[in-house]
Amino acid sequence: MWQPSLREGTKPLHDQLMEALTRDVASGALSPGTQLPPQRDLAYRLKIGVGTVTKVYAEARRRGLLTATVGRGSFVAGAAADGAADALIDFSRNLMTTRAAAARFPDALLALRRRPDLAEHLTYAPPAGMPAHRKAGAKWLAAQAGLPNADWQRLVVCEGGQHAMALAFFSLCKPGDTVLTEHATFFGMKALAEQLRLRLVGLAMDKQGLLPDALDKAAAAGAKFLYTIPTLQNPTGRVMGARRRLDIATIARKRDLTVVEDDVYAPFLRDEADLAPIATLAPERTFYVSTLSKMIAPGLRCAYLLTPGDALFERVVATIRAFSYAPAALGALIATQWIEDGTADDIASAARKDVAERAVVAVRILGKHIEGPYAKAAPHVWLPMSELKAERVAGAALRGGVAVTPPGAPIVDGKDIAGLRLCIGAPADMPTLERGLKTIAAALAETPNAMRAVV
Ligand SMILES: Cc1ncc(COP(=O)(O)O)c(C=O)c1O
């Protein structure tokens, strides 16, 4: 039963109780769907007036932290709908909990109402976004992505990382061009290549991601563009070390490649490693993609694309003008407020903590099936296995009510790579995560090794 501790003589009891509720919802100590104590019980146990509790519950409902059903009581908001216990447990998409952002969202809206410049956000922004939002983007890159000196004048506000990638490749390439990638990559890149009629060539990886020799060979054969995910590579979770990044940057220079560095997972590693983005090693030729979707909330549709120089910045701006004229201002405005007042850093810390706790559970349940070394705060883990076995495990998991990423979805060139990606941030809460992982463990145990089955 929830019972926060209140201290006499500090702040008003109402404020203390409201803060405790907000904090516990944000941290997950009160998870979605949890029933709060009846108002009278809580007042009795805290030795405060029931009117104070009633006021706090009402305010929490107004802020969207709680929901109330007549006759049943008050519940922490965000729970799955009734009957969802029978719904699929979803490991297939790289979603993180938005609980910490949701807890702060009502306050962000109140702050918006007080802004003297609110109405300015109703007109068209410049195509690259409002200067204040671009400056906040540069601050985000410095605080969370290891780019201390990003020039906001070369940064474009985008509506998601996928949009940033689309802008970069539309501005760079024409139909028929070849883009080099890791041999398994983000499915969104495959979708983009299909629409832009680009030819993807998948290059071999080792445990540190893209192999420099494979890149050098492919570039020598004439390719001009590289799309790479150096940090917590999607789908494998592999991380390029400092030396590897330098080697890739050196080859890009030698072969005159333009690089799109998709580093949307870099903030997860911020506390574990200090790895320079390729964009700091070869800034004259590297587009850098960062999004708030993973650390803060995808619904903001706010991401940043750092361009390599004035000419390419202008090309991206021309592309934006052609497609949407300018980014929508409201999501970026909330993001800017949160970056400026420190809320974004707090939410990002909560996201890292949440994912790190999930990774511990994943390793406990799936153990040796997970490819190591894995990062402490890895939002997805990779289970290498043959293509046939991956398909069978995915099928068995689905029959048990668990969805995983279709094994073929990320594959560009399947000669040397096959396996299952599990997005461990996606299940709604820890008990659901644990149930889902146990189903996958059972599916692994009941699926014969495909090679042996063939023999
Ligand atoms: C590697 C990678 N890049 C880009 C994106 C897209 O980011 P957004 O959701 O902000 O469009 C994702 C989302 O899963 C991703 O995994």
Side-chain angles (χ1 to χ4, degrees):
M1 193 55 92
W2 185 61
Q3 185 164 348
S5 50
L6 305 179
R7 294 227 311 272
E8 235 176 288
T10 50
K11 284 184 185 170
L13 292 170
H14 165 277
D15 294 2
Q16 287 192 50
L17 193 55
M18 193 66 221
E19 276 169 21
L21 185 58
T22 308
R23 188 184 56 240
D24 289 350
V25 171
S27 72
L30 282 172
S31 57
T34 304
Q35 183 164 21
L36 285 188
Q39 296 167 20
R40 267 176 208 292
D41 290 8
L42 187 60
Y44 177 77
R45 280 189 285 118
L46 295 177
K47 300 188 177 44
I48 60 177
V50 70
T52 305
V53 180
T54 304
K55 244 172 92 182
V56 167
Y57 277 26
E59 189 173 334
R61 276 202 306 278
R62 242 191 349 269
R63 291 193 188 186
L65 295 176
L66 299 182
T67 57
T69 311
V70 179
R72 286 185 60 210
S74 295
F75 297 83
V76 177
D82 281 354
D86 299 329
L88 274 186
I89 300 177
D90 189 5
F91 286 83
S92 73
R93 295 187 301 155
N94 240 328
L95 305 172
M96 313 299 147
T97 170
T98 51
R99 201 180 299 131
R104 287 161 173 88
F105 196 43
D107 282 343
L109 296 182
L110 287 179
L112 276 187
R113 285 175 60 177
R114 289 196 290 265
R115 288 185 74 107
D117 62 349
L118 186 60
E120 286 166 30
H121 292 81
L122 292 176
T123 184
Y124 290 111
M130 301 187 78
H133 301 180
R134 295 164 67 198
K135 286 177 191 165
K139 196 169 166 191
W140 167 262
L141 296 186
Q144 296 289 339
L147 279 160
N149 302 313
D151 176 1
W152 72 269
Q153 306 211 56
R154 284 203 284 109
L155 180 144
V156 171
V157 177
C158 306
E159 291 170 354
Q162 181 72 33
H163 183 219
M165 293 157 56
L167 289 175
F169 283 107
F170 190 90
S171 305
L172 282 172
C173 300
K174 56 183 188 325
D177 280 348
T178 294
V179 176
L180 306 173
T181 69
E182 284 96 4
H183 54 186
T185 192
F186 170 44
F187 179 74
M189 186 62 220
K190 289 176 67 178
L192 184 60
E194 201 173 313
Q195 295 307 315
L196 297 184
R197 315 267 189 277
L198 304 174
R199 192 170 79 92
L200 292 187
V201 171
L203 303 179
M205 280 188 270
D206 64 7
K207 292 283 183 71
Q208 288 207 31
L210 189 61
L211 281 170
D213 282 352
L215 178 63
D216 196 36
K217 228 163 112 190
K224 287 276 151 250
F225 308 106
L226 168 67
Y227 168 78
T228 183
I229 309 169
T231 313
L232 295 165
Q233 202 262 350
N234 187 356
T236 60
R238 296 173 188 172
V239 179
M240 276 188 199
R243 177 75 233 179
R244 177 64 56 91
R245 288 164 190 249
L246 204 56
D247 289 347
I248 299 293
T250 305
I251 292 166
R253 280 220 169 104
K254 182 176 86 174
R255 298 290 183 193
D256 196 21
L257 287 169
T258 302
V259 181
V260 176
E261 181 179 23
D262 183 345
D263 215 14
V264 302
Y265 296 108
F268 284 100
L269 265 204
R270 202 194 68 148
D271 297 345
E272 286 179 63
D274 187 14
L275 292 168
I278 296 167
T280 62
L281 306 172
E284 78 290 350
R285 62 189 58 253
T286 306
F287 282 86
Y288 187 85
V289 176
S290 182
T291 183
L292 301 193
S293 301
K294 307 299 170 187
M295 308 305 290
I296 310 291
L300 293 178
R301 295 321 280 141
C302 183
Y304 304 111
L305 176 66
L306 188 65
T307 61
D310 292 345
L312 284 171
F313 173 80
E314 290 305 334
R315 256 153 79 182
V316 168
V317 163
T319 304
I320 296 168
R321 277 183 197 283
F323 281 134
S324 60
Y325 187 76
L330 271 183
L333 174 58
I334 293 170
T336 298
Q337 258 182 205
W338 277 350
I339 290 167
E340 280 169 355
D341 71 10
T343 304
D345 287 340
D346 292 348
I347 299 175
S349 296
R352 272 189 291 273
K353 185 164 167 286
D354 177 67
V355 159
E357 285 167 9
R358 286 165 183 260
V360 169
V361 178
V363 171
R364 171 163 58 74
I365 294 174
L366 296 177
K368 63 178 179 6
H369 292 291
I370 298 179
E371 181 185 273
Y374 33 76
K376 203 169 98 228
H380 46 268
V381 293
W382 180 243
L383 284 57
M385 66 189 81
S386 73
E387 186 189 349
L388 182 57
K389 179 159 178 167
E391 289 290 352
R392 287 177 175 168
V393 173
L398 193 60
R399 287 190 292 282
V402 171
V404 301
T405 311
I411 303 297
V412 178
D413 179 343
K415 261 197 326 287
D416 300 321
I417 187 151
L420 279 184
R421 177 191 74 164
L422 302 183
C423 300
I424 59 176
D429 48 35
M430 286 298 184
T432 312
L433 173 76
E434 186 147 353
R435 257 189 302 126
L437 289 168
K438 284 183 176 157
T439 303
I440 292 167
L444 282 160
E446 81 184 37
T447 307
N449 183 310
M451 289 311 285
R452 253 187 270 137
V454 170
V455 171

